[in-house]
Amino acid sequence: MNVGGTLIAGPAAGPLSGDITVPGDKSMSHRAVMLASLADGVTEIHGFLPGEDNLATAKMFMDMGVNIDWLNDEKTSLRIHGVGLHGLKAPDHVLDAGNAGTCVRLMTGILAGQRFASTVTGDASLCKRPMKRVVDPIRRMGATVDGTEDGNFLPITISGGDLHAIHHISEVASAQVKSCVLLAGLYADGDTKVNEPKPTRDHTERMLPLFGQPVDVAADGTITLSPTDELKAPDAAVLIPADPSSACFFAVAASLVEGSDITLNSIGINPRRDGWRRVINGMGANLKLDHERAVGEEPVADIRVSSGGLHGLHVDPNDVPDAIDEFPVLFAAAALADGEFILENAEELRVKESDRIAAMAAALRAAGADIEERRDGAIIHGLAALSGNADVDAHGDHRIAMAMAVAAQRARADIRIHNAAAIATSFPNFVTLAQSIGMNVRWADDNEMSL
Ligand code: S3P
């Protein structure tokens, strides 16, 4: 786990302002590296997120013989020399996904299709997250999986090849599960089908056609993928828009700090990622979309946010999968909104990089908020300001750390956020960008770090 690192965040000195571009989308960055590595030919990717999670995915493919050229020092542009669907080499050591759930769940599908055995592990947090949801379907497809507690926890060893097509009816609304099965389906002996209880982010379905592989999505939601012998590197570069999950931190901060007016450039507004905007708009936020356009297969827009008196909301359960990663910062918004905020049907938050319901309830309560934890969500009564002057634990979870830094902008005194180093997994330049719009947040010196 990414332990250590303390952020000190406190009341914003004045309105937030500026025009900023947050880094590339994490989900799409993983998928672009995966498909480019498995394609025949050379793929260029621009807008890649050089966070630790995505670098772990790139490293896994390098460990299996894929050559990657980094085209700039920031590692946002790269060229991948694909080895073809059957060109990966058996790794000579354990593959390490670090903190990255998307990496390990999707790689499980890809490794299930390989005619060699591989062992995958992750950091302490990832080793506690459930793997059965992906292990069960790939076992049904014919892969052998050994691992802790019957393969429910990392490390796991996957021996693949000769997969059968299945129709997977997923019990959880999870894009990672869906994508794992579809990626394994590339190697199956017939059409692979997936149904999910609620639609989830569809970046895999949108990106596969760029590599010459169509995916059918029927009106009843059934997703069908046919097996293939090859993916083809696209002629044009794969362009990755800015990550709405990162943009949301600043959108909430600007909504909360009076007089603020910021613009977030080129943010993905794919409906399956846009639940955060539906929730925050439902709370009365002032968001305006400009220059709606497409980047590759994905819709994007510039989003202008000005401060506004937020109020409570009973979140529509249909919005939960579409906002699943944004609830930590939406809890921060609710803690400072007028009235009651109710979230239900969100028990998946308990199996993310941390138990996000428990972690946010503990941190917000320590900072003075009125939040009641529920098995599948929370009830929050908003206050005009948090008292602050608190030490809180981000539990090595990037989104808890950044959500508390946002909440602190409307506290009466500083909040010290410990175990915040994991910000580097998804948003390495968060503090710099936050400071550039006027947020009061900085990394603590060594002598300020104790919990
Ligand atoms: C992701 C899917 C979601 C999300 C994660 C990224 C993806 O996880 O929370 O951050 O890229 O497919 P689940 O599939 O577990 O809901």
Side-chain angles (χ1 to χ4, degrees):
M1 190 165 74
N2 236 316
V3 287
T6 294
L7 281 177
I8 301 188
L16 309 183
S17 65
D19 189 322
I20 53 172
T21 304
V22 301
D25 189 275
K26 180 150 81 81
S27 293
M28 286 182 232
S29 294
H30 283 301
R31 287 158 173 81
V33 168
M34 291 174 185
L35 298 185
S37 296
L38 297 175
D40 288 319
V42 178
T43 303
E44 272 196 18
I45 302 170
H46 300 294
F48 180 76
L49 167 63
E52 290 172 358
D53 279 12
N54 300 100
L55 295 174
T57 295
K59 166 87 168 43
M60 269 195 196
F61 283 101
M62 283 151 60
D63 288 348
M64 291 187 284
V66 175
N67 287 322
I68 297 182
D69 306 324
W70 299 101
L71 301 179
N72 57 4
D73 290 344
E74 304 81 48
K75 295 196 165 178
T76 57
S77 289
L78 60 161
R79 187 182 299 124
I80 299 192
H81 300 263
V83 294
L85 276 173
H86 299 282
L88 294 177
K89 295 199 180 73
D92 59 11
H93 54 268
V94 171
L95 298 170
D96 188 358
N99 193 241
T102 305
C103 167
V104 80
R105 265 66 172 266
L106 273 59
M107 287 307 295
T108 299
I110 291 170
L111 294 172
Q114 309 307 315
R115 292 177 195 279
F116 52 76
S118 39
T119 301
V120 194
T121 193
D123 69 6
S125 151
L126 195 57
C127 286
K128 287 194 213 118
R129 297 179 64 187
M131 288 295 292
K132 247 334 196 1
R133 52 183 61 195
V134 288
V135 165
D136 280 347
I138 64 152
R139 277 185 176 149
R140 278 176 52 226
M141 295 177 88
T144 303
V145 182
D146 296 309
T148 317
E149 289 189 26
D150 193 27
N152 193 25
F153 296 104
L154 298 176
I156 57 172
T157 298
I158 304 165
S159 313
D162 298 324
L163 299 184
H164 313 299
I166 58 167
H167 184 168
H168 184 59
I169 300 185
S170 182
E171 283 173 13
V172 275
S174 162
Q176 293 176 354
V177 172
K178 168 178 64 179
S179 302
C180 167
V181 176
L182 292 176
L183 291 168
L186 292 169
Y187 297 89
D189 59 3
D191 288 355
T192 294
K193 292 181 187 288
V194 182
N195 283 92
E196 37 187 5
K198 284 200 166 70
T200 64
R201 67 191 69 192
D202 57 358
H203 306 306
T204 306
E205 298 92 302
R206 285 176 188 252
M207 206 179 278
L208 272 164
L210 291 180
F211 289 83
Q213 185 62 10
V215 181
D216 182 68
V217 183
D220 71 353
T222 306
I223 303 156
T224 305
L225 174 111
S226 302
T228 183
D229 289 331
E230 62 163 2
L231 297 177
K232 291 190 199 72
D235 292 335
V238 176
L239 305 177
I240 298 178
D243 196 327
S245 301
S246 297
C248 184
F249 294 106
F250 299 136
V252 171
S255 298
L256 291 176
V257 177
E258 210 181 319
S260 298
D261 188 350
I262 65 165
T263 299
L264 299 154
N265 294 316
S266 204
I267 307 299
I269 54 165
N270 176 327
R272 298 281 73 82
R273 294 291 297 285
D274 218 20
W276 72 273
R277 260 188 340 114
R278 298 198 286 278
V279 172
I280 199 175
N281 280 334
M283 296 173 76
N286 296 318
L287 267 56
K288 191 172 152 296
L289 295 192
D290 273 329
H291 304 119
E292 287 188 51
R293 55 202 187 272
V295 168
E297 296 305 299
E298 297 278 346
V300 306
D302 303 332
I303 305 180
R304 184 166 175 192
V305 189
S306 47
S307 57
L310 298 183
H311 53 73
L313 180 76
H314 193 155
V315 177
D316 181 341
N318 290 317
D319 286 335
V320 169
D322 297 342
I324 195 69
D325 291 338
E326 289 70 70
F327 283 112
V329 73
L330 292 171
F331 279 14
L336 292 157
D338 191 14
E340 186 177 64
F341 175 96
I342 303 175
L343 175 68
E344 297 162 307
N345 296 97
E347 52 274 80
E348 272 296 298
L349 291 175
R350 294 204 181 269
V351 291
K352 295 295 178 187
E353 286 82 329
S354 68
D355 174 341
R356 286 183 171 162
I357 298 176
M360 280 308 293
L364 281 173
R365 206 175 295 123
D370 178 351
I371 173 166
E372 189 187 319
E373 189 178 335
R374 290 293 171 97
R375 179 190 58 80
D376 63 344
I379 300 182
I380 302 171
H381 294 103
L383 304 169
L386 299 181
S387 43
N389 190 19
D391 285 281
V392 303
D393 190 351
H395 293 277
D397 183 334
H398 53 137
R399 300 207 195 278
I400 305 296
M402 292 184 277
M404 289 309 298
V406 169
Q409 304 308 306
R410 244 184 51 200
R412 293 197 191 90
D414 284 355
I415 300 176
R416 289 166 297 280
I417 307 160
H418 302 282
N419 292 320
I423 285 174
T425 61
S426 71
F427 202 161
N429 62 341
F430 170 76
V431 170
T432 314
L433 274 183
Q435 289 171 345
S436 80
I437 58 166
M439 279 175 66
N440 178 359
V441 57
R442 63 181 173 85
W443 289 106
D445 302 336
D446 286 351
N447 58 356
E448 294 172 306
M449 293 216 352
S450 61
L451 180 57

